[in-house]
Amino acid sequence: MPGSGRSGARRRTTLTAVALAALLPLSACGGSGDGGGNASGKVGGSLTFQTWNLRAGYQDYFTALIADFEKRYPGTEVKWVDQPAERYADKISADAAAGTLPDVVNVSPDLAAPLAKAGLALDLDKEPAAAKYAKEYLPGAWAGNRVPGLGGTYAFPWYLNTGPLFYNKALFTKAGLDPEKPPRTYDELFSYARTIAERTRGKVATLANVPTIEDFGRYGARLMNEKGDGFAFNDAKGVELLTQYVKLYRAGALDGQALTATPESSGQKFLTQAVAMNPGSALDLGNFKKSAPTLYRNIGITDQITSTGKANMYVMGLAVNSATRNKATAIAFAHFVTDARNQMSFAKRAAIFPSTQGSLDDPYFTRQDGSDTARVRVASAKSLKTAVNYTPVLFSDQMKTALGNEVARALQGKQSPQQALDAAVKACDQLLRQS
């Protein structure tokens, strides 16, 4: 499902490598292609391709894409299955248990990681037929599907997403701030937030989210140790960021419901003009225009704020089942779907961004036409050239919850920021050892 800022791409899994490792004997019989196996290394035979909640909006695109592949490689047959967003990780786990994992599977990095640990995702770097394509993709996108401690790359980069920071010019003006000068640094963000809270007497908060793992990454905290076997976001930068959020919370600059907020609820807060700033993407502009015309007329758009100079990217990929009966065909198809031509075509339909080298230099991503949508698209494409996926591929849903719980305790004054992050790192490390 094409993502939109945080809300569209922060999809996590409870799938663990321990569970998958136990399934390896069941999966050894190969992929789910229904016959037509090809052990010769030539492209041919049948395979199954699974996407993640894409049929409803893009059926015509994928039908034509598959027809093009089958025409290019006579004798191939691709069966397309699409799974709903809900419980997608559970579906992958069930397929792994039954030995019916599709030959080519749509995954995010956090879904690819447990498959890789269990030996169910093909290491593209060790497979010459796949490794030769690495240079076609943005380095940050190819690296997005690497797994610390294993080495290797376990999915072809597919589409990317990122987005700007939206702000409400009317609320800035109400607080006596220049609506044409949004914050560019974290220091400015924190200062603006305190000013808005003070001058609106606590009626308007600036942010609706507590910091997440990608926020710590953007701020410059070290997320994992060098070996990739432990977390490290309790360093000085991490503590500094959480300390600032504690101050914002106490000053009323952080929405009172932030402790239990979701990306969707935070977006709703911004939509109803209860908060002054929120991350998003070009997809949100249409929603603003339709659902909140007053907000749309006052929308401000600025770049993501980072201390690293690199924006956050969300990555979708296509993993190849390591036990597929049709390895050559599965690799060829995964590359075909993610090559520059097909990614560009999909990007223009789905309002996402291609992960292939040079694609972001296309006029579609570089030329302004005066619209806010183009402005966001051009700015996002520029940032993606150097963007990174800050969320560690090993950061599970349980770890996200552990971090959120400790952050909440710090905001409530029940422990210091250092104590909170020390506890979060300890809990996440324990979960990592269990995986």
Side-chain angles (χ1 to χ4, degrees):
M1 178 173 62
S4 57
R6 290 184 178 183
S7 61
R10 196 185 288 163
R11 299 176 298 187
R12 294 288 169 243
T13 175
T14 56
L15 195 63
T16 67
V18 168
L20 282 172
L23 305 177
L24 276 172
L26 298 175
S27 306
C29 61
S32 59
D34 54 352
N38 183 2
S40 67
K42 294 182 179 180
V43 177
S46 62
L47 60 83
T48 301
F49 166 49
Q50 178 172 292
T51 53
W52 189 347
N53 197 30
L54 292 173
R55 186 180 294 274
Y58 310 102
Q59 182 168 349
D60 291 346
Y61 171 79
F62 285 103
T63 299
L65 180 75
I66 290 168
D68 285 347
F69 178 79
E70 292 174 344
K71 182 177 180 180
R72 177 177 293 189
Y73 297 100
T76 59
E77 181 181 0
V78 177
K79 177 184 178 182
W80 174 36
V81 295
D82 185 69
Q83 302 295 342
E86 185 177 2
R87 304 185 69 83
Y88 184 72
D90 293 337
K91 173 60 177 173
I92 291 179
S93 180
D95 284 340
T100 56
L101 190 70
D103 301 280
V104 178
V105 190
N106 182 186
V107 292
S108 52
D110 57 298
L111 286 175
L115 291 174
K117 282 192 169 185
L120 294 174
L122 187 68
D123 182 351
L124 305 183
D125 290 336
K126 292 183 179 178
E127 191 66 41
K132 65 183 181 182
Y133 297 124
K135 62 182 180 297
E136 296 181 13
Y137 302 89
L138 293 170
W142 188 263
N145 288 293
R146 290 186 179 136
V147 179
L150 291 185
T153 301
Y154 295 91
F156 281 94
W158 194 6
Y159 59 86
L160 310 176
N161 215 334
T162 190
L165 192 60
F166 291 117
Y167 68 98
N168 187 319
K169 290 184 177 181
L171 294 180
F172 269 51
T173 300
K174 183 178 180 179
L177 297 171
D178 188 338
E180 302 306 323
K181 293 182 179 179
R184 303 286 185 182
T185 66
Y186 278 104
D187 285 343
E188 289 181 353
L189 173 64
F190 300 143
S191 175
Y192 278 40
R194 289 190 294 270
T195 297
I196 291 173
E198 291 170 2
R199 294 182 179 175
T200 64
R201 297 182 179 180
K203 293 182 180 179
V204 177
T206 297
L207 300 172
N209 292 100
V210 299
T212 60
I213 192 69
E214 58 261 38
D215 292 312
F216 285 99
R218 273 197 297 264
Y219 195 73
R222 186 181 177 189
L223 302 182
M224 297 197 76
N225 63 26
E226 292 182 2
K227 293 182 179 180
D229 60 0
F231 292 95
F233 51 82
N234 58 338
D235 65 359
K237 294 295 290 185
V239 172
E240 184 179 299
L241 177 64
L242 185 52
T243 299
Q244 290 292 342
Y245 267 83
V246 169
K247 292 178 180 178
L248 295 182
Y249 188 69
R250 292 174 179 171
L254 190 63
D255 184 75
Q257 298 178 13
L259 301 185
T260 57
T262 64
E264 290 76 18
S265 66
S266 299
Q268 187 64 26
K269 287 277 187 178
F270 183 73
L271 192 71
T272 58
Q273 304 189 67
V275 296
M277 304 189 77
N278 200 59
S281 78
L283 295 174
D284 294 310
L285 290 173
N287 185 37
F288 296 157
K289 189 173 184 178
K290 179 180 179 181
S291 304
T294 301
L295 171 64
Y296 183 75
R297 287 193 295 270
N298 289 291
I299 201 72
I301 305 169
T302 190
D303 294 336
Q304 286 184 30
I305 296 174
T306 79
S307 294
T308 64
K310 295 182 178 181
N312 184 57
M313 76 160 63
Y314 298 105
V315 185
M316 275 293 159
L318 293 182
V320 174
N321 183 349
S322 61
T324 178
R325 299 186 185 95
N326 268 329
K327 185 188 295 184
T329 307
I331 291 171
F333 181 73
H335 172 255
F336 181 80
V337 174
T338 62
D339 70 17
R341 181 177 69 88
N342 287 317
Q343 284 213 51
M344 178 61 73
S345 177
F346 190 44
K348 290 182 177 180
R349 293 169 182 256
I352 43 80
F353 300 88
S355 62
T356 41
Q357 292 274 15
S359 296
L360 297 176
D361 294 322
D362 186 273
Y364 180 72
F365 295 112
T366 60
R367 291 181 183 172
Q368 300 277 5
D369 62 11
S371 68
D372 286 334
T373 299
R375 179 182 169 191
V376 172
R377 182 173 66 241
V378 170
S380 297
K382 182 179 179 181
S383 71
L384 278 170
K385 291 182 179 180
T386 58
V388 296
N389 177 22
Y390 284 111
T391 303
V393 299
L394 299 176
F395 201 74
S396 69
D397 209 35
Q398 291 172 294
M399 295 173 191
K400 173 186 170 183
T401 299
L403 173 59
N405 288 341
E406 299 302 336
V407 165
R409 287 173 54 81
L411 295 176
Q412 294 169 330
K414 296 179 179 179
Q415 58 186 349
S416 71
Q418 183 71 68
Q419 290 171 330
L421 294 183
D422 286 347
V425 165
K426 181 178 180 180
C428 291
D429 282 349
Q430 183 175 359
L431 289 167
L432 185 62
R433 288 191 294 270
Q434 293 172 358
S435 68

